Amino acid sequence: MLKANNSLGIIFFPAFDWAISPTHPERQERLLYTQDQLREEGLFDIEGVGEYKPDVADIEDVERVHFCFPEVPSVATRSHLISAGGAMKAADLVMQGERERAFAMVRPPGHHAMKVVHGSRGFCNINIEAVMIEHIREKYGHKRVAIVDTDCHHGDGTQDVYWHDPDTLFISLHQDGRTLYPGTGFPQELGGPNARGRTINIPLPPHTSDEGFLMAVERIVLPILDDFKPDLVINSAGQDNHFTDPITNMNFSARGYAAMNEMLKPDIAVLEGGYSIQGALPYINLGICLAMAGVDYSQVMEPNYNAERIRQDAKTTAYIEELCKQLPRLYFDPPAVKPSDDSRQGVLSGDTFIRHKQVYYDTDGINEVQQETVTVCKDCRGLYKVETRADSGPLCLGVEIPINACPKCRAKGYHVLEEAQIKGTYRYMQMINRLDKEYLRYGF
């Protein structure tokens, strides 16, 4: 019997009861074909590879990460909680030593869900990777975590959740936002003043193939990971860079995905996008599983694969080579946040950083406006406050006391909440107190 070099746990949840529409690309068949392929290929006959059922995240697991307005049940279904629970199960398998690595093949996905949630955007309601990571920190102690997002679409939600967290490194390799939703993920997006350089975006040109992806991982991602020295590496394993994907424009292959995973050596992978349901996903997922298990994946090949036909041109290669020269310095020597008159980029005034944002929820057709305020503190991550309104709805308030809060920022957080209660300005208020593990919600 073939034996895995790394024991691997696989969690399936195809979410039979959740779809945006019966013909929408984000539907249950995304995983059903993969499930059949993995069994046909004998993946579960490999010693050390096992299948597990997902757990179910509870409301507190979500509220540890998100400000959901008016409340979690209004923006997330039970399928969303099971999807997040599948990621949490993967984390527990690794953290408890039952498996060396784990892959949560679950849906609905999550990497477009931001810190504040009023509805669904980019097919995502809650950020399942973030729920998983904060579950790890709550249950197993604080960890330095690196997230490498390999979805074709920029992981703008995960970037937003960890924008101010110096202990979370977020790296996204994606199709250039000038050519694809959500239109973000540019090199100058580097993180907030307390976490400068902890966000690194690698926007790749359309039609990038295996050569370009693997070059970027080798020359940009791996040196940064080596310097950051994370306790855990998480792969947001989007698979829509494949050359057959119907909603993107890249030329990555199933074997390329496996090679990239082998280079990254993630402790945990969590499925994100990927919409070539029959021609790509079953083969990509098989390759990733074999790579995570440390088993030969050289025979994995999808239908219609032709290396010459999908090879990137010389201009694309030259462009990516220049990215490889320029982007590492944004991590190793990031430019400081400077006072600015542009509130969209953020205004730094004394020890306060203020940023205004407009967020469009394309799936639900919601327009949101935010004002985000962060204390720039030398002793902790700083107090986080957000005022938010969706469409013409009520004004809402979110306050987060960070996990390593100093006494001053902790006291300031409660003062902000108490003052808001007295003034009665906000219809809904939520406090996330990671230091004391206290999660409060008020509605008027």
Side-chain angles (χ1 to χ4, degrees):
M1 176 184 286
L2 187 61
K3 184 175 181 179
N5 289 310
N6 310 307
S7 60
L8 174 66
I10 297 172
I11 300 90
F12 273 116
F13 180 62
F16 291 104
D17 62 343
W18 184 87
I20 294 172
S21 76
T23 58
H24 194 278
E26 181 51 67
R27 61 186 190 272
Q28 66 193 38
E29 284 86 357
R30 289 187 61 222
L31 285 178
L32 297 182
Y33 285 110
T34 286
Q35 214 168 12
D36 290 344
Q37 182 80 11
L38 298 188
R39 291 198 169 94
E40 287 175 11
E41 296 289 343
L43 181 71
F44 298 105
D45 296 329
I46 299 173
E47 184 181 346
V49 177
E51 183 179 353
Y52 295 81
K53 294 181 179 180
D55 291 335
V56 184
D58 61 30
I59 299 299
E60 187 173 288
D61 293 316
V62 178
E63 291 188 335
R64 196 177 291 132
V65 173
H66 290 293
F67 298 115
C68 294
F69 295 114
E71 59 183 351
V72 173
S74 70
V75 299
T77 67
R78 182 169 175 81
S79 286
H80 293 97
L81 298 179
I82 298 173
S83 183
M88 291 165 57
K89 178 67 175 181
D92 288 336
L93 290 174
V94 172
M95 298 305 297
Q96 294 172 10
E98 185 172 343
R99 296 286 170 173
E100 292 171 279
R101 297 180 180 176
F103 188 3
M105 291 190 207
V106 296
R107 58 176 295 275
H111 77 149
H112 292 303
M114 294 183 169
K115 184 72 178 174
V116 174
V117 178
H118 289 279
S120 180
R121 57 186 308 278
F123 319 155
C124 302
N125 292 57
I126 59 174
N127 195 303
I128 59 177
E129 285 92 342
V131 171
M132 176 190 72
I133 290 165
E134 299 315 313
H135 164 75
I136 291 170
R137 287 170 166 164
E138 191 92 347
K139 189 172 181 178
Y140 303 103
H142 196 62
K143 308 292 182 186
R144 285 170 68 82
V145 177
I147 308 164
V148 184
D149 189 321
T150 53
D151 193 277
C152 194
H153 303 85
H154 175 233
D156 56 341
T158 309
Q159 173 175 293
D160 185 70
V161 170
Y162 290 110
W163 188 254
H164 299 288
D165 184 356
D167 291 324
T168 304
L169 172 67
F170 176 69
I171 303 175
S172 180
L173 298 97
H174 50 267
Q175 184 174 323
D176 193 311
R178 293 171 294 184
T179 66
L180 190 69
Y181 176 89
T184 55
F186 300 107
Q188 64 268 29
E189 299 167 26
L190 290 169
N194 299 326
R196 201 68 171 159
R198 291 298 190 252
T199 294
I200 298 295
N201 284 297
I202 307 172
L204 299 170
H207 311 301
T208 297
S209 64
D210 294 16
E211 178 187 357
F213 278 98
L214 301 182
M215 181 195 303
V217 170
E218 180 181 9
R219 300 186 192 180
I220 304 172
V221 179
L222 295 185
I224 292 174
L225 289 176
D226 185 60
D227 181 82
F228 184 70
K229 294 180 172 54
D231 299 307
L232 291 166
V233 176
I234 311 299
N235 178 207
S236 290
Q239 300 172 9
D240 41 8
N241 287 297
H242 193 265
F243 64 88
T244 63
D245 197 276
I247 64 173
T248 62
N249 311 101
M250 298 301 243
N251 283 348
F252 210 20
S253 72
R255 202 178 302 160
Y257 265 105
M260 180 166 62
N261 185 278
E262 185 178 38
M263 294 169 74
L264 292 173
K265 297 180 174 60
D267 299 283
I268 303 163
V270 180
L271 180 67
E272 280 294 338
Y275 305 100
S276 180
I277 293 172
Q278 291 179 273
L281 263 67
Y283 306 93
I284 299 171
N285 282 313
L286 175 62
I288 290 175
C289 288
L290 293 174
M292 293 189 79
V295 175
D296 177 48
Y297 56 80
S298 62
Q299 300 306 306
V300 174
M301 185 180 297
E302 59 276 73
N304 302 317
Y305 173 73
N306 183 315
E308 288 303 316
R309 183 168 55 85
I310 64 171
R311 190 180 304 279
Q312 66 192 40
D313 60 26
K315 185 178 178 180
T316 298
T317 300
Y319 184 88
I320 297 171
E321 286 176 339
E322 188 62 27
L323 286 179
C324 291
K325 294 175 184 176
Q326 299 294 335
L327 295 185
R329 69 185 65 176
L330 297 177
Y331 167 83
F332 290 101
D333 187 23
V337 175
K338 298 178 181 179
S340 169
D341 294 327
D342 185 352
S343 62
R344 293 168 301 177
Q345 296 297 318
V347 176
L348 183 60
S349 176
D351 67 349
T352 303
F353 177 80
I354 301 173
R355 183 169 61 147
H356 291 91
K357 294 192 293 182
Q358 292 183 314
V359 181
Y360 180 61
Y361 293 71
D362 59 298
T363 308
D364 283 350
I366 297 169
N367 286 289
E368 178 198 1
V369 292
Q370 288 184 22
Q371 177 175 291
E372 175 188 271
T373 306
V374 179
T375 303
V376 180
C377 180
K378 61 181 177 60
D379 297 317
C380 71
R381 274 175 52 183
L383 180 71
Y384 177 91
K385 170 188 170 185
V386 61
E387 297 169 284
T388 170
R389 188 194 304 271
D391 291 328
S392 57
L395 188 63
C396 306
L397 173 69
V399 179
E400 181 173 20
I401 297 172
I403 202 166
N404 66 338
C406 67
K408 183 178 178 181
C409 286
R410 181 185 182 277
K412 185 177 179 181
Y414 278 99
H415 175 74
V416 169
L417 187 64
E418 290 165 6
E419 187 178 58
Q421 288 176 298
I422 293 169
K423 291 183 176 180
T425 307
Y426 307 98
R427 177 68 177 84
Y428 300 103
M429 297 184 292
Q430 183 183 343
M431 170 176 271
I432 300 172
N433 181 349
R434 295 303 306 282
L435 180 67
D436 303 305
K437 300 183 180 181
E438 185 176 24
Y439 308 99
L440 306 174
R441 174 175 293 284
Y442 303 91
F444 300 98

